[in-house]
Amino acid sequence: KIELNRQINQTLEQMAQTLFKSWFVDFDPVLDNALAQGNPIPEALQTKANLRKQQKSTLSADLQALFPATFTFSEELNKWIPEGWDVKKLKDVTSEIRRGVAPKYTEENDVRVINQKCIRNHEINFNLCRFHDSKKKNVDQRFLEINDVLINSTGVGTLGRIAQLHSKIERCIVDTHVTVVRVKPEYYYPNTFGRLILNKERIIERLGEGSTGQTELKRTKLNEIHVIVPPRKLQEISEVHFSIWVNELTLNNQQTQTLTQLRDTLLPQLITGKLSVPEAMLQIDTTLENP
């Protein structure tokens, strides 16, 4: 079941990547409109345009009409983008870009701390979290909010890993090796913004500065990244798709983490004979029926 959940999530991730890339990176619907109306295609997009001639758009006429039929060159992004779409710096479309706090660790179940080990494959593994002692250090103003984007910010191989917080976790913070990015709702819908930052992952990786093993992602570098801002109406539609996929992916992740904990608890008991196979199966069935 754990493996099946992982396979399903890989498929969901691919679907989300495909949609985002088509609409907001390759601008396929804009090319389709330009070709249909006989508008000039920039030379840099001619190869893509030729490929689009061989394909048939699957979008409805109403949705297709939300995309323009011409391009304009963005000096900030150094590429052609749809006419009328805006470009902003990341600092202008976010309310927060900040590092986490230095925790006072405890073995008690207190404030959950997400560290770099927790962020992998665009997911957050809460089973790897440690706990902060809130009696020793007040962190009430540092709690994460749902839809926050988390970016690993130190070390070669870990710097640049990104995940978005999709499930509400009470009293949760990040440590100093993770950067929190919180979008302003007037610019982006949350899941569309999350896809946007994931699409910048390679760029963010290259922003690290310092010697091998000691690289750091500075907030000033993140602030200056330019991002495209699609029209609100178009984001409304993309957000519906992304939200459906995110909800299913989140439920699968929650179940996988619960099953992983259960497996790691049951296996030693099975090996030592403290638990029979039928008893273990009953616990697994109960967990699957009551996620």
Side-chain angles (χ1 to χ4, degrees):
K1 179 60 179 174
I2 291 172
E3 181 57 30
L4 178 60
N5 283 350
R6 287 174 178 164
Q7 292 175 4
I8 292 173
N9 282 358
Q10 286 177 357
T11 300
L12 292 170
E13 178 69 12
Q14 289 170 359
M15 292 168 65
Q17 287 179 351
T18 298
L19 176 61
F20 186 88
K21 186 173 184 294
S22 176
W23 289 15
F24 304 125
V25 178
D26 293 338
F27 312 124
D28 291 335
V30 185
L31 283 170
D32 293 340
N33 285 342
L35 290 169
Q37 297 180 28
N39 293 336
I41 306 292
E43 184 176 350
L45 300 178
Q46 282 294 338
T47 300
K48 287 183 179 179
N50 291 334
L51 291 174
R52 291 305 300 175
K53 290 178 182 178
Q54 304 169 24
Q55 302 176 28
K56 185 177 181 180
S57 174
T58 58
L59 303 184
S60 68
D62 289 342
L63 178 53
Q64 191 76 46
L66 295 178
F67 292 88
T70 54
F71 291 89
T72 185
F73 190 78
S74 167
E75 297 289 347
E76 298 90 345
L77 294 173
N78 192 32
K79 63 183 287 187
W80 292 91
I81 65 172
E83 184 78 38
W85 290 21
D86 205 355
V87 175
K88 297 282 187 182
K89 288 184 177 181
L90 192 59
K91 66 180 180 180
D92 296 325
V93 300
T94 53
S95 58
E96 285 194 35
I97 298 180
R98 60 169 173 83
R99 288 285 191 95
V101 303
K104 302 292 184 181
Y105 286 116
T106 177
E107 296 303 315
E108 301 298 323
N109 191 339
D110 200 341
V111 176
R112 195 183 302 265
V113 182
I114 295 175
N115 56 53
Q116 292 199 129
K117 292 181 180 179
C118 302
I119 300 172
R120 186 183 292 272
N121 300 324
H122 302 161
E123 298 174 356
I124 302 172
N125 187 341
F126 294 101
N127 291 337
L128 299 178
C129 289
R130 298 176 66 184
F131 292 97
H132 165 75
D133 190 339
S134 58
K135 295 178 182 178
K136 293 183 178 179
K137 186 175 185 179
N138 188 304
V139 292
D140 287 352
Q141 304 304 314
R142 311 291 281 185
F143 291 145
L144 297 179
E145 296 181 4
I146 194 167
N147 297 318
D148 282 348
V149 176
L150 311 182
I151 305 176
N152 283 357
S153 300
T154 63
V156 175
T158 53
L159 188 150
R161 289 182 191 164
I162 298 172
Q164 190 171 19
L165 184 65
H166 293 303
S167 55
K168 182 63 175 177
I169 302 294
E170 297 296 335
R171 292 165 55 81
C172 185
I173 61 174
V174 298
D175 69 12
T176 55
H177 300 288
V178 179
T179 299
V180 179
V181 181
R182 185 172 298 162
V183 71
K184 293 178 180 177
E186 61 265 32
Y187 285 104
Y188 285 96
Y189 282 92
N191 292 309
T192 301
F193 178 74
R195 298 308 318 180
L196 171 83
I197 301 301
L198 286 175
N199 186 64
K200 297 285 186 181
E201 193 167 48
R202 295 300 183 190
I203 293 174
I204 292 172
E205 286 177 1
R206 295 195 292 268
L207 294 179
E209 296 180 343
S211 59
T212 302
Q214 301 296 323
T215 53
E216 291 280 341
L217 176 62
K218 294 183 178 179
R219 185 178 64 177
T220 52
K221 292 286 188 179
L222 273 177
N223 282 339
E224 298 302 311
I225 291 178
H226 284 96
V227 294
I228 197 167
V229 184
R232 195 73 177 171
K233 185 62 178 178
L234 192 54
Q235 283 195 49
E236 286 180 12
I237 297 172
S238 68
E239 188 70 9
V240 171
H241 293 286
F242 293 141
S243 296
I244 292 172
W245 295 328
V246 161
N247 289 340
E248 186 173 350
L249 186 146
T250 300
L251 289 173
N252 288 340
N253 280 340
Q254 290 172 344
Q255 186 183 68
T256 292
Q257 291 182 28
T258 299
L259 288 172
T260 299
Q261 286 182 315
L262 183 60
R263 178 197 63 195
D264 294 345
T265 300
L266 296 180
L267 189 57
Q269 297 182 45
L270 285 166
I271 293 174
T272 58
K274 293 182 179 179
L275 192 70
S276 68
V277 172
E279 290 172 329
M281 290 298 295
L282 180 60
Q283 290 192 41
I284 294 171
D285 289 342
T286 301
T287 299
L288 291 174
E289 291 172 2
N290 302 282

